[in-house]
Amino acid sequence: MTAVVTLPDDLLAPSYGTGSLAAVLPAVAGTLGVDVRTSTGLVSTECAPALGLPAGCDRVVVVLVDGLGLHNLAERGGHAPFLRSLLADGRSLLSSFPSTTAAALATLGTGTSPGRTGLLGYTQRNAATGGLITTISWSEQSDPYRPGPKLSAPVRQDPRDLQREPTVLETVAAAGVRVTAPGPAKFDGSGMTRAALRGPRYVPAESLADQVDAAVRALRDPGLVYLYHGTVDKVGHHDGPDSWQWGDALEAADAELRRLVRSVPRGTLVVVTADHGQVAADRYRQHDVATSPELARGVALLGGEPRATHVYVEDGADPRDVAGRWAGVLGDDALVVLRDEAVADGWLGPVAEHVLPAVGDVLVAARGAATVVDSRLHPSGAREMPGVHGSLTPAEMVVPLLVAQA
């Protein structure tokens, strides 16, 4: 199929096949001997050999290190001697679009795509209410452009009404495999967990060290453990992926993952991947919709994040006119496409009918180190983050698949 939009050389076309993050859990199911077939065509018996996972394992740990793109790991590998030692035999995978946690975790969890899961970015429009959903916290601002503090309330919609795909973890558990997820107590039963990662027995464990200990205990018996680590991404947002603080966070994670492999029972397969990478933002290439009449005209609401924006146009406005103005203002700082173009080119994978209204009428993928913000929506802390992600650059899209066997 011929692409509708020609991507510039610095951006990557999303994919949701066996070379993507979507294939990781189906592949793990395959190595455990569980048949998984996702609605986007991934099959566990095909994914496992495609990703080089051995057959016949009865104990597996999947570790998701938030924000650890392959480019970030390669550039800062001196802080991660253990993970660096796995790079030679590792593989690279493509994340989702947007390359952000909510979209990528749902893609990982279901083995499908954002167009099927309905989790389309950090924020997105609730087509039923017109409000702006923050997907990670599963909260909603009913009037996000209201002056003053941004007040939010829990989204009244059940996460499973939006994310209707079965998760791979619940399929594996239904097949009789013991599935455990150690993690911070605040994520137990959260909207994001119920949407994207339902199925495991959740074990509260706050620090990565506690989570490693819980994983080791769980694998005294055969089973699957899913372990999420968010500190590397958090530090990258706060201090930047080039900072010494980021290096320290990577060192700490690397040491605990080494300990994990040394502590689990012999033969346990440990799979390490990430949801996206990060780039350092250039504040001089930041575009503020609130202060640009050409960007603001015809726009009802903005969703997504500074590197991947959903532009929802006002009733009666022509998305083509809005897209044309945005492309003119942003120039080489972003690729601006219409929703129908992005859908036709598979940016979101196959898009379910109930998901389509939540997709922006215009989608904006930042290039270089540029960002797009709206100071009416985004507090100063969000606008000033030195580490960002979400777009289609290799640094954001390419994630590692590293495998070790105890």
Side-chain angles (χ1 to χ4, degrees):
M1 182 180 68
T2 302
V4 175
V5 176
T6 300
L7 291 180
D9 292 340
D10 58 325
L11 301 184
L12 297 175
S15 170
Y16 300 96
T18 54
S20 75
L21 187 64
V24 172
L25 287 183
V28 167
T31 202
L32 288 165
V34 178
D35 182 39
V36 168
R37 298 170 185 268
T38 74
S39 64
T40 51
L42 292 180
V43 180
S44 56
T45 53
E46 297 174 358
C47 290
L51 296 188
L53 300 190
C57 294
D58 64 357
R59 291 174 171 85
V60 182
V61 185
V62 176
V63 182
L64 191 290
V65 183
D66 197 329
L68 186 61
L70 183 57
H71 287 238
N72 302 119
L73 177 58
E75 289 176 355
R76 308 295 301 277
H79 295 276
F82 172 64
L83 294 177
R84 189 180 68 233
S85 73
L86 303 178
L87 280 173
D89 295 323
R91 296 170 185 255
S92 63
L93 301 175
L94 283 181
S95 184
S96 63
F97 178 79
S99 50
T100 192
T101 300
L105 286 190
T107 293
L108 171 82
T110 63
T112 63
S113 66
R116 297 293 303 184
T117 68
L119 293 169
L120 305 170
Y122 182 72
T123 60
Q124 63 191 65
R125 182 175 62 184
N126 183 337
T129 66
L132 191 66
I133 297 175
T134 302
T135 50
I136 293 293
S137 61
W138 206 247
S139 60
E140 180 174 353
Q141 295 177 21
S142 59
D143 187 6
Y145 284 111
R146 176 185 58 242
K150 305 307 175 189
L151 302 178
S152 62
V155 181
R156 288 187 291 273
Q157 183 184 30
D158 189 311
R160 291 170 292 187
D161 290 339
L162 177 63
Q163 200 305 88
R164 302 175 184 179
E165 299 294 309
T167 75
V168 177
L169 296 177
E170 65 184 342
T171 301
V172 170
V177 176
R178 190 168 181 261
V179 184
T180 307
K186 66 181 180 180
F187 296 148
D188 187 5
S190 70
M192 188 66 201
T193 298
R194 286 185 288 144
L197 297 162
R198 54 185 180 257
R201 177 178 66 93
Y202 200 91
V203 177
E206 298 305 316
S207 68
L208 180 56
D210 291 341
Q211 292 157 23
V212 167
D213 291 342
V216 172
R217 289 194 298 270
L219 289 172
R220 291 170 183 166
D221 299 311
L224 169 63
V225 172
Y226 168 74
L227 197 160
Y228 166 86
H229 179 56
T231 302
V232 171
D233 183 65
K234 182 178 180 181
V235 172
H237 283 307
H238 188 270
D239 299 298
D242 301 327
S243 67
W244 65 263
Q245 293 94 333
W246 193 92
D248 283 356
L250 179 58
E251 282 185 17
D254 186 74
E256 285 300 324
L257 295 182
R258 179 192 293 273
R259 184 170 72 87
L260 171 68
V261 173
R262 290 177 171 176
S263 302
V264 291
R266 184 176 180 84
T268 299
L269 191 69
V270 179
V271 178
V272 181
T273 190
D275 50 352
H276 56 75
Q278 280 197 3
V279 296
D282 182 349
R283 292 186 61 190
Y284 294 100
R285 295 178 65 187
Q286 183 174 98
H287 301 267
D288 188 350
V289 176
T291 61
S292 172
E294 286 298 286
L295 294 180
R297 183 153 51 94
V299 174
L301 185 65
L302 287 188
E305 41 238 300
R307 293 283 294 174
T309 306
H310 289 269
V311 182
Y312 304 100
V313 306
E314 293 175 345
D315 291 341
D318 188 338
R320 292 170 296 183
D321 292 341
V322 173
R325 287 197 303 274
W326 277 61
V329 172
L330 299 181
D332 291 338
D333 280 345
L335 177 65
V336 181
V337 303
L338 295 169
R339 177 177 68 182
D340 290 348
E341 295 172 334
V343 170
D345 280 353
W347 284 23
L348 302 169
V351 180
E353 184 177 352
H354 77 281
V355 172
L356 191 61
V359 182
D361 300 292
V362 177
L363 296 177
V364 182
R367 299 174 62 188
T371 54
V372 177
V373 301
D374 188 331
S375 54
R376 297 168 296 176
L377 286 173
H378 305 133
S380 59
R383 302 194 303 272
E384 296 167 3
M385 284 191 302
V388 289
H389 55 81
S391 193
L392 295 169
T393 68
E396 293 159 283
M397 286 290 291
V398 180
V399 297
L401 181 75
L402 308 175
V403 179
Q405 195 154 18

